[in-house]
Amino acid sequence: MNRTLIRDALTNLRPPAEATVAGWVRTVRHSKGGFSFITLNDGSCLATLQVVADGKLPNYAEEIAHLTTGSSVVARGALVASQGKGQAVELQASEVRVLGRADADSYPIQPKHHTLEFLRTQAHLRPRTNTFGAVARVRNAVCAAIHEFFQRRGFLYIHTPIITASDCEGAGQLFRVTTLDVSAPPRGPDGAVDFAQDFFARSTYLTVSGQLEAETCACALGNVYTFGPTFRAENSNTPRHLAEFWMVEPEMAFCDLAGDADTAEAFLKHVFRAVLDRCAEDMKFFNDRIDNTVLDTLAHIADSEFQRVTYSEAVTLLEKAGRQWEFPMHWGRDLQTEHERFLTEETFRKPTIITDYPASIKPFYMRVNEPDAQGRRTVAAMDVLVPKIGEIIGGSQREERLDVLEARMAETHMKAEDYRWYADLRRYGTVPHAGFGLGLERCVQFVTGMANIRDVIPYPRTPRSAEY
Ligand code: ATP
Ligand code: MN
């Protein structure tokens, strides 16, 4: 079918005089004078196109006069200046074909306000709503801008494995991948499940991060990025955590922590600017309906410099803040969301990059710094915090010294032989290198103002929830 997207029918300066459009009925009004006004949406934009169907059309009495919300139709006719309010163009149909009816009584997405909680129970139909259509288009624009940023800078897009034998974050929040019969797994002499008999002849998991493999590519190809699904079996029912989420992870050879932070800042600004430029209609919708600060916030961030502060400085600020924290802050503890939000929303009022965290709360691969004046040991880590979300990016300079890396692995009781390939990078032509990870959904949440991460991915996976 040679159809015109409704986006093009509405916005082209000179749309084709005669066009075929296809979509789903949002609302329909059957007038007594023998006309029907059908508003159609095809997902190409937020707006709908009004189709005017004349009672003289051959299938009018039988089909068109009974059309209801949710039905799918193809309409052909002339695109003309509209007499009605609220739209510039309408389609005067010479033909309206009904492809699929929707039963008006049972169709869940009626033209009225539905709560986001209700729509989560209709995950298969919610893309037909304004909110989820707008989320899908902005998410698409964010992904395109991510690729654009790295491609323009000569980064290679690489694909790291989804099934892996290593636990990159060392946090043990892994989903096991197995083909063993869970009701009767083979057991070794000690009674433990014998994973040597499993599909890969070892324990395997869904990846929590593509970083370690990305490092191997960066240490040959220079600048690379991986962008794919990651899985964390963390039992945290928060509005910012999913069990399955998408992460973009650049990795740069010959780069230190400062270069890493500069890249992260330029990267976020590029993505935010692209969304403002390319998703004006959808972003106005989010600003009007979801969060009336998103447009100002994004424009402000795209033009302002991010704050940089060390972890130790941040702790001092938090201790002096005179607040009753739910989690009181001392040097050595990890920052909680309440602390992150305080720093970025109240102290600095802009995105904030915190660097040089205590080694004891960060993974083995982060580069160990010289001890500070008080003799405390930190690593070259950085987190980028933004208002309302807290951490949106986590990154670090990687440990490139073999002896230091091996000592850190021993400290954290990791099996050196499992990471021989990772240590090899330090054995053969080691180089300083750095990278970070941006959670795609956190980014889409921030851009759109959507409060719950479950509403920025089509099919959210969270504890006890994988319906559909
Ligand atoms: P948090 O402290 O918020 O759980 P993290 O320290 O576990 O984050 P990293 O391991 O540094 O996060 O992962 C890099 C990025 O991936 C984070 O900055 C965030 O944007 C995103 N991310 C991490 N965990 C999740 C999750 N469960 N759901 C969605 N995004 C996540
Ligand atoms: Mn986490």
Side-chain angles (χ1 to χ4, degrees):
M1 187 192 322
N2 191 4
R3 71 181 169 107
T4 299
L5 297 180
I6 288 176
R7 177 188 69 192
D8 296 335
L10 290 173
T11 57
N12 277 3
L13 289 179
R14 265 185 297 163
E18 172 86 14
T20 299
V21 298
W24 292 265
V25 175
R26 280 291 177 81
T27 60
V28 56
R29 187 160 56 82
H30 305 293
S31 84
K32 292 206 181 66
F35 275 97
S36 291
F37 299 94
I38 306 161
T39 59
L40 268 197
N41 183 277
D42 68 358
S44 63
C45 61
L46 187 73
T48 52
L49 176 69
Q50 173 161 283
V51 174
V52 185
D54 192 314
K56 295 191 194 77
L57 290 173
N59 61 339
Y60 187 84
E62 208 160 303
E63 285 196 309
I64 300 170
H66 309 293
L67 258 186
T68 53
T69 295
S71 305
S72 50
V73 305
V74 181
R76 186 166 58 82
L79 282 169
V80 299
S82 174
Q83 280 106 53
K85 288 198 294 285
Q87 70 263 335
V89 180
E90 68 185 26
L91 187 116
Q92 303 229 301
S94 51
E95 182 189 356
V96 175
R97 273 194 294 135
V98 179
L99 297 182
R101 296 177 170 287
D103 175 45
D105 293 328
S106 63
Y107 186 56
I109 312 292
Q110 292 298 324
K112 62 160 199 172
H113 177 75
H114 294 291
T115 65
L116 295 171
E117 289 76 13
F118 168 75
L119 290 171
R120 269 174 231 147
T121 70
Q122 307 292 326
H124 59 308
L125 293 171
R126 67 179 185 170
R128 297 190 187 186
T129 63
N130 281 336
T131 304
F132 289 92
V135 166
R137 286 182 296 272
V138 169
R139 188 177 163 112
N140 170 70
V142 167
C143 293
I146 287 170
H147 283 294
E148 187 179 73
F149 177 85
F150 291 118
Q151 291 295 326
R152 280 187 190 165
R153 291 178 173 227
F155 284 62
L156 293 190
Y157 177 32
I158 55 158
H159 299 93
T160 48
I162 307 280
I163 299 175
T164 158
S166 57
D167 172 11
C168 169
E169 295 300 306
Q173 300 163 327
L174 298 159
F175 286 102
R176 182 181 287 282
V177 175
T178 181
T179 55
L180 294 179
D181 176 357
V182 291
S183 62
R187 294 186 186 273
D190 58 352
V193 175
D194 182 13
F195 287 101
Q197 295 187 48
D198 203 349
F199 188 91
F200 297 105
R202 63 192 309 150
S203 284
T204 50
Y205 310 92
L206 294 176
T207 185
V208 295
S209 161
Q211 178 202 315
L212 301 189
E213 294 90 349
E215 280 186 55
T216 67
C217 294
C219 290
L221 303 167
N223 292 340
V224 302
Y225 67 109
T226 179
F227 187 7
T230 46
F231 307 85
R232 295 189 185 180
E234 47 195 345
N235 211 345
S236 41
N237 247 317
T238 79
R240 301 169 307 108
H241 287 89
L242 291 166
E244 175 180 297
F245 64 99
W246 285 66
M247 185 144 62
V248 53
E249 295 177 275
E251 194 66 37
M252 296 163 282
F254 315 107
C255 182
D256 60 10
L257 187 68
D260 201 29
D262 289 343
T263 306
E265 176 171 347
F267 168 62
L268 285 177
K269 285 177 172 171
H270 174 81
V271 171
F272 297 160
R273 178 60 54 215
V275 170
L276 286 174
D277 289 349
R278 295 169 204 168
C279 301
E281 184 190 35
D282 292 318
M283 286 306 300
K284 181 174 181 315
F285 170 83
F286 288 117
N287 205 70
D288 290 347
R289 298 294 188 85
I290 301 292
D291 175 347
N292 63 12
T293 65
V294 284
L295 282 178
D296 282 349
T297 304
L298 286 189
H300 170 67
I301 289 177
D303 299 329
S304 70
E305 223 171 280
F306 290 13
Q307 182 73 38
R308 278 149 217 247
V309 60
T310 65
Y311 166 89
S312 299
E313 290 161 348
V315 170
T316 305
L317 289 168
L318 291 165
E319 284 172 339
K320 287 190 182 149
R323 290 265 175 132
Q324 274 308 107
W325 301 112
E326 194 188 336
F327 301 92
M329 200 55 206
H330 305 295
W331 202 97
R333 291 200 181 167
D334 207 356
L335 297 176
Q336 302 295 322
T337 304
E338 58 172 340
H339 310 126
E340 295 177 343
R341 291 189 54 174
F342 176 79
L343 292 167
T344 175
E345 288 171 19
E346 299 185 43
T347 311
F348 301 120
R349 296 170 180 274
K350 53 168 139 166
T352 300
I353 306 183
I354 303 197
T355 60
D356 304 299
Y357 285 74
S360 56
I361 57 170
K362 289 292 184 186
F364 74 99
Y365 53 73
M366 295 189 177
R367 190 177 197 280
V368 178
N369 293 323
E370 289 297 314
D372 69 8
Q374 286 96 307
R376 297 174 303 200
R377 200 166 61 140
T378 59
V379 288
M382 64 148 195
D383 278 3
V384 183
L385 316 179
V386 291
K388 282 182 277 194
I389 306 282
E391 177 184 339
I392 194 168
I393 281 180
S396 67
Q397 183 172 342
R398 319 306 188 190
E399 184 55 74
E400 85 284 11
R401 298 161 297 186
L402 182 62
D403 52 337
V404 183
L405 183 76
E406 285 179 337
R408 282 276 279 160
M409 287 171 63
E411 245 171 58
T412 49
H413 309 292
M414 295 170 63
K415 276 203 242 134
E417 74 256 28
D418 290 351
Y419 294 88
R420 185 193 37 78
W421 57 274
Y422 187 72
D424 267 358
L425 298 178
R426 283 78 183 164
R427 239 171 236 124
Y428 306 119
T430 193
V431 293
H433 60 288
F436 62 82
L438 167 82
L440 174 65
E441 287 76 16
R442 295 244 178 119
C443 181
V444 177
Q445 249 192 301
F446 179 68
V447 166
T448 57
M450 294 295 286
N452 196 311
I453 199 165
R454 292 167 177 79
D455 298 328
V456 296
I457 187 167
Y459 292 98
R461 268 79 181 97
T462 52
R464 285 175 300 288
S465 166
E467 208 191 337
Y468 302 101

